[in-house]
Amino acid sequence: MFILSEDSQRTQGRDAQSSNIMAGKAVAESVRTTLGPRGMDKMLVDSGGEVVITNDGATILDEMDIEHPAAQMIVEVAESQEEEVGDGTTTAAVIAGNLLGEAEDLIEQDVHATTIVEGYHEAAEIALEAIDEQVSESEVDDEILKQVAESSMTGKGTGGLTAESLAETVVEAVRHVEVDDGVERENVGVHTQIGASSNATELVPGIIVDEEPAHDEMPAEVEDASIAVLDVELGVRTGEVDAEYAIDSIDQLNAAIDAEESEVRGYAETIADSGVDVVFTTDDVDERVASFLANEGVLVFEDLGDSDARDIVSATGARRVGDLEDLEEADFGHAERIRSENFGDGDLAFVEGGAAAEAVTVFVRGGTEHVVDELERAITDALDVVATALASGEVVPGAGATEIAIADKIREEAAGIEGRKQLAVNAFADALDVVPRTLAANTGQDPIDSLVDLRAGHESAGRAGLITAGEEVTIDDPFEYGVIDPADVKREAIESATEAATMIVRIDDVIAAE
């Protein structure tokens, strides 16, 4: 009896587990060398020859053409980590891969997959308790937030800027969107522009849109601007049905031209009479309308994308208007200044101050596309972790210290767990050692010796991390060196890695259709 199609492939038992675990480990291994301040970069080249150079784990996994379903689960770990807390993607993926490696060893020792899963979940609960114990008692102030941002960016591509100088910009941006009940992270944007040194990166109190004025004679800058956002075509109306009109005389032609002129002048006069200073519209603007408005000193930007229009509405308090006859002063938004600036290959519109200042934009500059792309990734991650730290008010030591503390607590608690599940709990602790071991290897240190020294430092001082300061690598308290991570980054890494690893370990039958 044939139940499956003849073209289907089925892998069962140990073979299925081995295949899935191997795929997951391979993906984790692909990003392991990027971990830490001395992590290496990856060059990713797609089928079209497009090149991406980065050491950002989420970007690497996103760019890789991964087809194996189990390997894709590790990619989802990084995606989940990125979405929830914005950083720690490489850590989460590497931990997940090593949990799979430890599980493979246990399976070869005839430990049942269910026992491994139960042990891993119990160990994860202990790990979360250990993270709580590592949380600093100090208030999360601006200085600590800067250290969080700097820790996130150290080792990433920041062009000619230091992580320290960028950290000040990041903290200023996040503080700007802090509200009583948290942080409105979505109000911080990042806009990149090639053509200058990365030292020209700045914080703009408002938003930036990639648009140029509809007419060359329009003002390049408007102070104390009233803003209208329209979904209106400012030109001669055309019917939806193709039609032709026969004109038999010069008088009829002149009448038609006068009618068009009257229509477009009517649009211009309606806008000018409304008192608005700047118009953003998602549709086209007739050259004659643009010329009339330029003479009236009105600045107009045409053919905006829907997302840009939404951003302007959100930032300035304007209301989108779909019919010009409905335009009134109550629909206007406001900004202290709107300016158009040319950057060689195009213009950018800066909407700054006033109501627009509720949003801020980090304006990222760089000499090449690769520089600005990597700088954008580094700043985005830093913004996310600073927002996370500020919202929760909880930070823990970085540099592998938290992982050492977690593993130590898990091994201590494992002694009280009966049966084979204890093996899985201890295996979870061993898997976490991959973080300090990898940090050591990436800094040129011996992983085993460093791990031994870190454990000894933790036992004697209660906190020990692998600190990289210039060419020096020391084992000390990360808090003393400002190497700090948000506690939620560690929690999310443990939870997402455990979830993915246990899901993969439980699979013992793979049915694939061709």
Side-chain angles (χ1 to χ4, degrees), residues 388-444:
T388 298
L390 182 58
S392 68
E394 294 183 332
V395 294
V396 294
T402 298
E403 287 77 14
I404 287 290
I406 295 170
D408 182 70
K409 183 174 179 64
I410 290 174
R411 291 189 180 98
E412 182 181 323
E413 296 289 332
I417 297 173
E418 298 181 355
R420 294 190 175 190
K421 189 164 64 172
Q422 183 186 104
L423 298 176
V425 173
N426 276 315
F428 193 103
D430 292 340
L432 290 178
D433 286 339
V434 68
V435 174
R437 281 194 289 108
T438 300
L439 291 174
N442 289 349
T443 55

Side-chain angles (χ1 to χ4, degrees), residues 247-258:
I247 296 177
D248 300 324
S249 67
I250 293 296
D251 290 340
Q252 287 180 333
L253 178 60
N254 289 334
I257 293 173
D258 290 343

Side-chain angles (χ1 to χ4, degrees), residues 97-415:
N98 275 267
L99 288 173
L100 290 174
E102 295 293 335
E104 185 176 34
D105 292 341
L106 292 175
I107 289 171
E108 290 177 358
Q109 298 172 37
D110 291 327
V111 179
H112 196 275
T114 301
T115 303
I116 296 172
V117 170
E118 291 175 354
Y120 276 9
H121 281 302
E122 190 160 338
E125 291 298 323
I126 299 171
L128 295 177
E129 293 174 8
I131 292 171
D132 292 340
E133 293 173 1
Q134 289 296 306
V135 171
S136 171
E137 296 181 358
S138 301
E139 180 185 356
V140 177
D141 55 15
D142 282 2
E143 186 59 35
I144 287 180
L145 291 176
K146 289 176 185 176
Q147 292 171 348
V148 169
E150 190 174 346
S151 299
S152 171
M153 291 185 288
T154 300
K156 296 181 179 178
T158 56
L161 291 170
T162 64
E164 183 179 1
S165 62
L166 276 178
E168 294 183 5
T169 300
V170 167
V171 173
E172 184 181 351
V174 174
R175 282 292 192 187
H176 195 92
V177 297
E178 183 183 9
V179 293
D180 292 339
D181 56 350
V183 177
E184 294 182 346
R185 169 65 180 88
E186 64 279 3
N187 283 346
V188 182
V190 180
H191 192 99
T192 62
Q193 181 64 45
I194 301 171
S197 165
S198 55
N199 290 313
T201 297
E202 61 177 319
L203 186 65
V204 175
I207 62 173
I208 302 172
V209 292
D210 194 3
E211 298 294 340
E212 61 184 23
H215 195 279
D216 291 341
E217 298 302 318
M218 287 178 173
E221 182 174 318
V222 178
E223 301 279 353
D224 191 21
S226 296
I227 302 158
V229 180
L230 309 178
D231 294 309
V232 179
E233 181 179 3
L234 299 177
V236 178
R237 289 172 292 180
T238 57
E240 296 182 2
V241 178
D242 290 338
E244 294 183 359
Y245 298 91
I247 296 177
D248 300 324
S249 67
I250 293 296
D251 290 340
Q252 287 180 333
L253 178 60
N254 289 334
I257 293 173
D258 290 343
E260 280 195 5
E261 288 290 332
S262 177
E263 183 178 352
V264 296
R265 186 178 294 275
Y267 292 142
E269 290 176 349
T270 299
I271 291 173
D273 292 344
S274 71
V276 72
D277 302 311
V278 182
V279 174
F280 292 92
T281 179
T282 58
D283 219 318
D284 297 328
V285 178
D286 187 282
E287 287 187 11
R288 290 166 293 182
V289 175
S291 179
F292 292 149
L293 290 174
N295 290 334
E296 295 292 332
V298 179
L299 177 58
V300 181
F301 298 92
E302 64 177 327
D303 202 22
L304 263 71
D306 189 63
S307 63
D308 283 340
R310 287 199 305 269
D311 288 344
I312 292 167
V313 166
S314 175
T316 66
R319 299 177 191 166
R320 290 175 75 163
V321 176
D323 189 330
L324 205 54
E325 294 181 359
D326 296 333
L327 182 63
E328 55 186 29
E329 190 173 347
D331 300 316
F332 295 171
H334 298 277
E336 286 182 8
R337 180 173 68 157
I338 294 182
R339 59 187 171 94
S340 177
E341 188 171 341
N342 181 267
F343 290 91
D345 58 347
D347 290 21
L348 294 178
F350 293 76
V351 183
E352 302 173 304
E358 292 183 7
V360 292
T361 303
V362 182
F363 187 37
V364 178
R365 306 301 306 278
T368 68
E369 184 177 353
H370 294 310
V371 170
V372 296
D373 285 349
E374 188 68 350
L375 189 53
E376 179 183 16
R377 284 187 282 267
I379 290 175
T380 299
D381 286 351
L383 289 168
D384 287 337
V385 294
V386 169
T388 298
L390 182 58
S392 68
E394 294 183 332
V395 294
V396 294
T402 298
E403 287 77 14
I404 287 290
I406 295 170
D408 182 70
K409 183 174 179 64
I410 290 174
R411 291 189 180 98
E412 182 181 323
E413 296 289 332

Side-chain angles (χ1 to χ4, degrees), residues 7-24:
D7 294 331
S8 297
Q9 290 187 346
R10 185 174 186 179
T11 309
Q12 296 176 274
R14 288 282 182 89
D15 289 341
Q17 290 174 322
S18 178
S19 173
N20 289 334
I21 288 173
M22 187 179 301

